[in-house]
Amino acid sequence: MLVLARFLVGLSSGLTTSVVPMYMTEIVTLDWRGPMGVLCPLGICFGVLLSQILGLEFILGSTDTWHYLLGLYGILVLVSMAVLPFLPESPKYLFAIKKDEDGCTEALTKLRGLPKSALTTEIAETKAASVREMSEGKWSILRLLKSKSLRWSLILVCAMQGGQQLSGINAVFYYSVPIFKSAGLDTESSQYASIGAGVVNFLVAALATFLTSRFRRRALMLFSCSTVVVCLLSLAVSIYFMDAVPWMSYVSIVAMLSYVFFYGLGLGPIPYFIASELFTVGPRSAGMALGSMANWGANFLVGMTFPSMQSAIGALSFIPFATSTVFLTMLLWKKLPETFGVDPAEVDTISSEEVALQNKSSPA
């Protein structure tokens, strides 16, 4: 039953992490695309934090009550099932994919809470953008994989989604309780401190909704990746010398909390919605699906290899995560175009020379 449940929940999680950001960025105007895209990872961070709290032994984390904690997931599913029928379909999807012009107009009026007469400009812009995309024909995963014009967009999406997991976020949280124990905290206090790290993770995700509406994606990603590398190296060194140098335990705490903070500024939220800014409506779903596969594939890889790696090389197991993030930073510096405030139809026309020019300009 657990294996079957894992399969079904995994299927649901894969769909959620690709469909939800795509839907949320399609139903808003261009200037709200970033903040709405961040709401999905914000919800994930809140779910992780809530699970940490409910997983405390005196709540639902004991051997007698852990299955009730798993069962709480069913309540969220029921709430979602009750709400979903009332959500309007994406106007862009209705017009570009379903070719339903009346449905597109009706969805827009419902989403904005305004009469059709007040949305004339937005309706015209939505239809104009969709007409351009309709001329591209029907897209599939195979067609996207074969497309030369979108190859770098696909590589960037998969690299950012996979790189998010290969930066070691799960490994850092895995180490959190032992790190706090090494600083002199008992088991119970270490669990509370680990929840504190979860609170930082959630608060930074909330801050990201503000940052993505005002700062460029490239600047946030490059700053986040660069600082994450420094934190991972600091974490590896401090844990490695923890027994020899007592005060290194405090350095490891600072490095871990700093990692959680800087990860949440860009590397955490942006990969979830970057595909909606790099792809038009046609290939977007295929791009989001492949990106989600890269994310969960990397998650699986880390989950399978980290325990063995940690047993073999200990604190140095953070070095591969830092190395992976260095390569991701170099790729983003070289190839990621700026998508902030840019229509997806215009992004794939940005050349490598223009990206190089963006590297020379002010990052913010």
Side-chain angles (χ1 to χ4, degrees), residues 27-88:
I27 64 173
V28 295
T29 54
L30 197 63
D31 53 331
W32 279 96
R33 194 171 57 188
M36 286 295 282
V38 172
L39 290 183
C40 180
L42 177 64
I44 293 174
C45 292
F46 178 74
V48 170
L49 176 60
L50 184 61
S51 299
Q52 285 181 298
I53 295 172
L54 294 178
L56 291 172
E57 187 172 357
F58 70 90
I59 302 179
L60 290 174
S62 69
T63 54
D64 295 325
T65 57
W66 67 271
H67 52 291
Y68 295 119
L69 180 56
L70 284 183
L72 286 178
Y73 179 76
I75 296 176
L76 299 177
V77 172
L78 291 174
V79 172
S80 296
M81 288 176 64
V83 173
L84 283 173
F86 298 97
L87 296 180

Side-chain angles (χ1 to χ4, degrees), residues 10 14 18 24 62 111 133 141 151 188 263 276 321 335 346:
S18 57
M24 297 181 76
S62 69
L111 284 166
E133 294 164 12
I141 289 179
R151 185 161 296 166
E188 184 178 357
Y263 170 89
S276 65
F321 297 131
K335 292 295 183 179
E346 301 171 6

Side-chain angles (χ1 to χ4, degrees), residues 289-307:
L290 290 169
S292 181
M293 187 173 68
N295 186 290
W296 288 99
N299 193 333
F300 175 80
L301 180 64
V302 172
M304 290 293 99
T305 59
F306 178 70

Side-chain angles (χ1 to χ4, degrees), residues 137-208:
K138 187 176 182 180
W139 283 86
S140 64
I141 289 179
L142 183 60
R143 182 185 173 188
L144 179 59
L145 289 171
K146 292 180 177 179
S147 173
K148 292 183 179 180
S149 62
L150 295 178
R151 185 161 296 166
W152 273 112
S153 294
L154 181 59
I155 291 173
L156 286 166
V157 168
C158 292
M160 290 172 71
Q161 287 270 26
Q164 182 195 69
Q165 296 300 318
L166 294 177
S167 69
I169 181 64
N170 292 325
V172 169
F173 274 101
Y174 174 87
Y175 251 109
S176 61
V177 172
I179 287 174
F180 288 122
K181 280 185 177 180
S182 68
L185 299 178
D186 56 31
T187 301
E188 184 178 357
S189 299
S190 298
Q191 288 179 334
Y192 285 120
S194 181
I195 291 174
V199 171
V200 173
N201 192 31
F202 172 70
L203 292 177
V204 178
L207 175 64

Side-chain angles (χ1 to χ4, degrees), residues 4-21:
L4 177 61
R6 185 70 175 176
F7 173 78
L8 294 175
V9 172
L11 178 63
S12 173
S13 298
L15 286 170
T16 299
T17 52
S18 57
V19 173
V20 171

Side-chain angles (χ1 to χ4, degrees), residues 311-326:
S311 299
I313 59 177
L316 297 180
S317 56
F318 287 106
I319 301 297
F321 297 131
T323 303
S324 169
T325 309
V326 167

Side-chain angles (χ1 to χ4, degrees), residues 65-295:
T65 57
W66 67 271
H67 52 291
Y68 295 119
L69 180 56
L70 284 183
L72 286 178
Y73 179 76
I75 296 176
L76 299 177
V77 172
L78 291 174
V79 172
S80 296
M81 288 176 64
V83 173
L84 283 173
F86 298 97
L87 296 180
E89 184 55 86
S90 161
K92 292 182 179 179
Y93 171 81
L94 287 172
F95 193 89
I97 306 300
K98 291 296 186 180
K99 299 177 176 58
D100 183 359
E101 185 173 343
D102 293 334
C104 168
T105 302
E106 183 180 347
L108 270 177
T109 55
K110 187 175 182 181
L111 284 166
R112 305 293 182 259
L114 297 170
K116 181 180 177 179
S117 57
L119 296 170
T120 305
T121 302
E122 185 176 357
I123 291 173
E125 291 175 350
T126 301
K127 291 180 179 179
S130 299
V131 166
R132 293 197 303 270
E133 294 164 12
M134 287 168 64
S135 63
E136 299 174 354
K138 187 176 182 180
W139 283 86
S140 64
I141 289 179
L142 183 60
R143 182 185 173 188
L144 179 59
L145 289 171
K146 292 180 177 179
S147 173
K148 292 183 179 180
S149 62
L150 295 178
R151 185 161 296 166
W152 273 112
S153 294
L154 181 59
I155 291 173
L156 286 166
V157 168
C158 292
M160 290 172 71
Q161 287 270 26
Q164 182 195 69
Q165 296 300 318
L166 294 177
S167 69
I169 181 64
N170 292 325
V172 169
F173 274 101
Y174 174 87
Y175 251 109
S176 61
V177 172
I179 287 174
F180 288 122
K181 280 185 177 180
S182 68
L185 299 178
D186 56 31
T187 301
E188 184 178 357
S189 299
S190 298
Q191 288 179 334
Y192 285 120
S194 181
I195 291 174
V199 171
V200 173
N201 192 31
F202 172 70
L203 292 177
V204 178
L207 175 64
T209 60
F210 167 82
L211 295 177
T212 53
S213 66
R214 289 168 173 79
F215 293 93
R216 296 178 182 178
R217 311 289 185 252
R218 280 176 53 83
L220 289 174
M221 278 299 298
L222 290 172
F223 177 74
S224 177
C225 289
S226 302
T227 48
V228 157
V229 170
V230 174
C231 293
L232 285 170
L233 294 176
S234 300
L235 201 53
V237 171
S238 59
I239 295 176
Y240 187 81
F241 290 105
M242 193 176 290
D243 294 333
V245 184
W247 53 267
M248 277 293 183
S249 60
Y250 300 103
V251 175
S252 66
I253 292 177
V254 173
M256 186 193 70
L257 294 177
S258 298
Y259 170 91
V260 173
F261 178 82
F262 291 119
Y263 170 89
L265 293 180
L267 193 52
I270 293 178
Y272 280 107
F273 67 86
I274 193 65
S276 65
E277 299 191 339
L278 290 173
F279 295 114
T280 56
V281 174
R284 184 175 296 158
S285 57
M288 295 287 275
L290 290 169
S292 181
M293 187 173 68
N295 186 290

